[in-house]
Structure formats: C-alpha cells, structure tokens
Amino acid sequence: SLLFRLGGFWAVTWLQALCGVATVLGIHRLGTRLYGRRAGLLAGILALLFGPALWYEGWLLPTTVNLLLLVVILTLTVADLARPPGSSALVVFLALGITLGLAVACRPQNLLLAVFLFLWLGWNRRSAGVGFLRPLGLAGLAMILTLAPVTVQNWTASGELVPVSANGGVNFYIGNHADADGRFSLPPGFPSYIGQLQAATRDMAQAQEGKSLTWHQISSHWFARGWNDLTTDPGRALGLWLHKARLVVSWREMENNFVVRWVQRHAGPSGWLIPSLGLLWLLAVPAIVALLRRRDLGDLTLLIPLITVVLVCLIFWVSTRNRLPLLIPLAVLAGASLADRQLWKRPVHLILTGLMAVAVFWPTADREGAAFFCDVGRIHAQEGRITEARATFEEALVLEPDH
C-alpha cells in the first residue's frame, strides 16, 4: 500500500512484473538444481510462457508476490535437504520462517503448506535427535514474528484476535453449499459484486443467528452451514469433491478475478501464450511417476505444494487463482519430462499420460463469466462508456440469462 501511495498503479505493476521475472528465474534455478541444466531451462521457458501467471501481474492482488514467495520457500527447503542430517544452517531456517510468514500473510491457505513443510523437514531430520527442533523452532518463531504486524492490525481494526483472516468459513461455504459446482459459485442471496461480500455475509449471519456476532463467530457460522450441506447429502459431497479433483487438472481456466476468454481477447500477443495448466499436467506425468519411484528427498519436496494446492481446491473451490501455485512444481516436473526422452518410451508413462489427458480435456459446463462481465460493465458505466457497458452486460446475459 505504501508503494501504491508513493508511485500509484504503475509502480505496483512494475514491481509485480519484476516479481514475475524473479519467479521464472527461480523456477529455472530450482529445475536446474533438481534435474540438470536442460530441465531447468525448459522449466523456465514453460513458466515464462504461462499466460495466466503473466495476466495476474497486471492485477492489484497478492497472486504474483505469492508465487515468488513459494519459489523461495521451495528453494530453501531443497537446499536444507541437500545437507547431511544434523548440519542444518540456522540462517536457512530463519529465512524459511520469514518467507513462510510473508506467504501466509499473502495467502492464508499457505498455512497448510507451512504445516506440511515443518512435518516434512522434521521427519527427514529425525535422525539428528532433538537437535532438529532448534532450526525448526527458529523457523516457527520467525514465521510467527513476521505475521505479528498483521495480527496487531486485525486487533486494532476489529478488537478481535484474528491471526491472519476470518474469511475461511465464508469461503468454505461458497465452495460447498448445496448448489456449489466446484468453482467460485456464489450461493443464493449473496451479492454478485465481490466488494460487498464481506459486509453482506456478516449481516446475513447475524440475521440468521438473531444476535450480534464477532468475526470468529461469523466464520464459524458459515463453516457450520457448509459442513451441514455436505453431511446432509454425503453422495452429493463425494460427487462434488470428485468434480473438484477433475477441475484441478482441467484444461479450462476458471474465473475468480477474471475470465480467461475475455483476457485473451484483450491481451494482444500475450493471448497466444500457454493458456492452461492442463498442458503442464500432461507434460509432468512421466516425471511424477519417476519421482515416486526414485524417492529423492529434493524431488519429493515438489509434491508438498502439489498436494497442498489440490487440498485447498478440494476444501474451497477451483479457480485459476487458487490453482496457479501449481505452476511451480508442474513447470519443474514438465521440464524434467521434456529433458529426458527415455521417460516417454515407457508404456506405463504413456498410459498414465493418456488417462490424464482424458481428465484434462473432459468437457466442463460453460457457466462462468457473468459476474465478471457485470463488474466490467459497471466500470464502463461509471466512466461514462455506456455503449461498452451495454455490450458487456449483454455478454453476461448470454452466459447466464437469469443472472
């Protein structure tokens, strides 16, 4: 926010562009360290040409910074695992804790990644005895202290002890309510304009409970509503989670903050970049299978963000923004697959890639986009471009006539 006040929109945009460049270089370095120079180069090229990551650099959102932080976290983790047990460098764990704290402040769901990383590092350093608790404790303390300003700000603003965010319950309900389709689909009665969502869900929760609620209570209320919808119909819940799992690997990019088709039409030459994470899933399959067979510690570390992001999508919903962190492990693994031709000569790899292709290209219902086009049309109208606003609203009605 300070940079925005000092330099405005373009200062933040340039900073995000630099973060994007650093992310690509980090993916290249990570791929080189794990699989060699050729694989690292190919991983960097795939990351460089990945359209959704580039498009998000133009939005005032933490998405781009989050990618860079995740690259740094994985690089630090792989660097420590390359050292002999009992010889962990405290400075690496200090940096890891600070970076994890920044990542959790950036995207609260990264707390799940932090838990998995601590368990992974602790398990692989258990031979050092209780000595491994020292670097892990340092990393944990650094993470807590890094998050402290966020917690203090939340306390000052709300009078409640909210470590990072109190939106988890609402997001859980959005992703799992009775009419949820696995994507960002607002329940009946929720405002279509996302800027009104927090106040509206607070008022709705208090009206349904018949009393004033704290932010913790509001989050708990919506979590209970979502859990009730899931447990009332277990068959529907299982079907929803299987559908989300398929959407995680789908070729189609799903909206949250933008509609990919709309961006591609207005992105000029960048609209021809790699359009979907589905391609990286296909290319990564042989390397994933080889990784599971080889069981190298550094390689297996790539599975932690992979599993974490998939779990986040299953718990909440699938969107381009939620699954974008998969770019890091998938680009590295896809680079490894492309660098080793022998991986493509094994029948089991080809069979599994074919099965993945079925999941990637399985058709999805074309419902997303109406809310986004309404937001764009509203902006056009506010700026006096009535013709553009009308055309955009008509696009929304084509997608969802009852919107």
Side-chain angles (χ1 to χ4, degrees), residues 114-244:
V115 171
F116 283 171
L117 278 178
F118 281 132
L119 291 175
W120 177 242
L121 289 169
W123 175 259
N124 287 290
R125 293 300 186 224
R126 66 190 185 280
S127 61
V130 295
F132 80 88
L133 294 176
R134 184 183 177 192
L136 283 181
L138 177 63
L141 179 61
M143 186 178 78
I144 292 172
L145 292 177
T146 303
L147 284 171
V150 178
T151 305
V152 171
Q153 171 61 27
N154 289 340
W155 175 272
T156 304
S158 67
E160 297 180 45
L161 184 61
V162 179
V164 184
S165 171
N167 293 326
V170 173
N171 288 331
F172 181 78
Y173 181 65
I174 291 174
N176 297 283
H177 64 90
D179 297 321
D181 63 0
R183 296 175 284 190
F184 184 73
S185 54
L186 292 171
F190 277 42
S192 60
Y193 178 48
I194 197 169
Q196 300 172 342
L197 192 59
Q198 188 176 58
T201 53
R202 177 197 60 200
D203 295 342
M204 292 170 66
Q206 293 182 149
Q208 292 168 14
E209 294 287 344
K211 60 182 180 180
S212 179
L213 301 175
T214 66
W215 285 111
H216 279 295
Q217 291 171 332
I218 293 169
S219 183
S220 297
H221 167 86
W222 290 114
F223 180 83
R225 287 282 308 273
W227 185 253
N228 181 69
D229 283 355
L230 289 174
T231 55
T232 299
D233 189 349
R236 183 196 71 85
L238 178 60
L240 177 63
W241 287 331
L242 290 175
H243 182 59
K244 288 179 183 179

Side-chain angles (χ1 to χ4, degrees), residues 78-125:
V78 170
D80 177 73
L81 291 174
R83 301 171 65 92
S87 63
S88 296
L90 292 181
V91 66
V92 172
F93 277 83
L94 177 63
L96 179 62
I98 293 172
T99 312
L100 280 170
L102 293 173
V104 173
C106 193
R107 297 279 283 172
Q109 54 262 51
N110 286 328
L111 183 59
L112 183 61
L113 173 68
V115 171
F116 283 171
L117 278 178
F118 281 132
L119 291 175
W120 177 242
L121 289 169
W123 175 259
N124 287 290
R125 293 300 186 224

Side-chain angles (χ1 to χ4, degrees), residues 38-108:
R38 179 179 172 83
L41 177 62
L42 291 170
I45 292 173
L46 290 172
L48 177 66
L49 297 179
F50 190 65
L54 178 64
W55 300 329
Y56 262 112
E57 291 177 16
W59 290 77
L60 297 182
L61 292 166
T63 310
T64 300
V65 176
N66 181 60
L67 283 180
L68 176 58
L69 291 172
L70 295 181
V71 168
V72 174
I73 288 168
L74 285 177
T75 301
L76 291 171
T77 304
V78 170
D80 177 73
L81 291 174
R83 301 171 65 92
S87 63
S88 296
L90 292 181
V91 66
V92 172
F93 277 83
L94 177 63
L96 179 62
I98 293 172
T99 312
L100 280 170
L102 293 173
V104 173
C106 193
R107 297 279 283 172

Side-chain angles (χ1 to χ4, degrees), residues 256-267:
N256 192 171
N257 298 102
F258 65 78
V259 178
V260 174
R261 295 190 313 280
W262 185 87
V263 172
Q264 286 178 320
R265 288 207 307 267
H266 295 80

Side-chain angles (χ1 to χ4, degrees), residues 247-248 250 252-253 277 309 319-326:
L247 290 178
V248 169
S250 174
R252 183 168 190 76
E253 293 293 339
L277 206 65
V309 175
S319 67
T320 293
R321 186 181 178 192
N322 278 356
R323 73 176 190 168
L324 189 58
L326 289 171

Side-chain angles (χ1 to χ4, degrees), residues 270-288:
S270 66
W272 295 98
L273 298 176
I274 296 174
S276 171
L277 206 65
L279 176 62
L280 299 187
W281 273 110
L282 288 174
L283 295 176
V285 169
I288 292 175

